[in-house]
Every structure is written in C-alpha cells, then in structure tokens.
Amino acid sequence: PSIVTSIGGPSEIIEEGKTGIFIDPYNQKEISDAMLRFLLMSREEIQKFKKEAITASNCYSGELYLKNLEMLYNQLLRNE
C-alpha cells in the first residue's frame, strides 16, 4: 500500500482505498494517521491492498506501454 498526495502523477495511478491512501502533504496529522492506519492493518487488509496493487501495476508495465505505442504508431502510418 502507498501513502501519496493527490498532487501530480500518483492520483493517476493510485486508487484511494484500493492501492493506497491520499493525504494532504501539508497536514501532519493526516500523514501520521495514514501511517498508523497501515501499521494497524490486518493481514487480510494488507493482502487485499497487495492484490489490488499488483492488478493496477499490470496496467503500467513496460511491455503494455510498448504494445500501445506500437499500435498508435501503426495507426498513424495507416492514416497518412
């Protein structure tokens, strides 16, 4: 599980409550609460987060990126 801010790229990858927790980077209590939440998670909760993170990471693999880039490149070539 990840503790991230909604500023920048993480919000495009992390799903609140599934693969991580969003925090306000300027709120110390929110940061410490998120850390404590992770420390107090049961094994089942940790496994659930882990499973979701693995599933989500498959959407951002280098192999998938290259496959999509190749498809786009081929589309552009056909349209010219």
Side-chain angles (χ1 to χ4, degrees):
S2 301
I3 298 172
V4 299
T5 68
S6 58
I7 299 170
S11 62
E12 296 175 14
I13 299 169
I14 304 297
E15 280 189 69
E16 172 68 37
K18 282 189 165 187
T19 57
I21 297 173
F22 288 106
I23 51 104
D24 175 352
Y26 306 106
N27 185 327
Q28 290 180 357
K29 175 148 177 38
E30 207 170 295
I31 295 167
S32 63
D33 287 349
M35 293 171 74
L36 187 59
R37 178 177 166 193
F38 278 141
L39 289 172
L40 297 176
M41 279 185 180
S42 68
R43 287 181 191 245
E44 291 81 20
E45 289 173 305
I46 292 170
Q47 286 302 320
K48 182 181 173 189
F49 265 91
K50 183 178 177 179
K51 182 180 174 186
E52 292 288 345
I54 290 169
T55 300
S57 71
N58 290 332
C59 295
Y60 299 96
S61 71
E63 185 178 319
L64 182 61
Y65 174 77
L66 289 175
K67 181 181 174 184
N68 289 335
L69 188 60
E70 182 180 21
M71 284 179 12
L72 176 62
Y73 181 73
N74 287 327
Q75 264 184 336
L76 291 171
L77 286 177
R78 283 192 299 271
N79 287 335
E80 288 187 350

